[in-house]
Amino acid sequence: MALLNKSNRLKKQLTLINVYAIVTGATLGDGFFLLPGIAAEQAGSAVVLCYLVAAIPLFPAMFSVIELATAMPRAGG
């Protein structure tokens, strides 16, 4: 592999915002499109039940955030 001259190299121009956008896009893309397919392959037709069971721990966390947002409207919301 030949080494490139400094004039032929790509410039390093990624900022923190650029990296954050790339990582967020990859994370959301995996979560919304890749993982449900894998879950459906593993669980078959019970994938809906699996998602409902997985949502149960979400409710206490959601109510905690709502409680904090109403108790401290400036800091929490």
Side-chain angles (χ1 to χ4, degrees):
M1 182 168 107
L3 296 175
L4 296 175
N5 296 333
K6 284 193 175 192
S7 62
N8 292 338
R9 291 183 186 170
L10 294 175
K11 294 180 182 177
K12 297 178 183 179
Q13 296 179 342
L14 288 179
T15 63
L16 179 63
I17 305 260
N18 298 130
V19 173
Y20 179 76
I22 292 169
V23 170
T24 302
T27 301
L28 291 177
D30 288 346
F32 286 138
F33 301 115
L34 180 66
L35 294 179
I38 294 172
E41 181 183 358
Q42 295 290 320
S45 61
V47 72
V48 175
L49 178 65
C50 293
Y51 271 100
L52 290 175
V53 169
I56 290 172
L58 176 73
F59 289 108
M62 180 179 64
F63 288 133
S64 297
V65 170
I66 292 170
E67 186 69 28
L68 284 173
T70 55
M72 299 177 284
R74 279 202 149 161

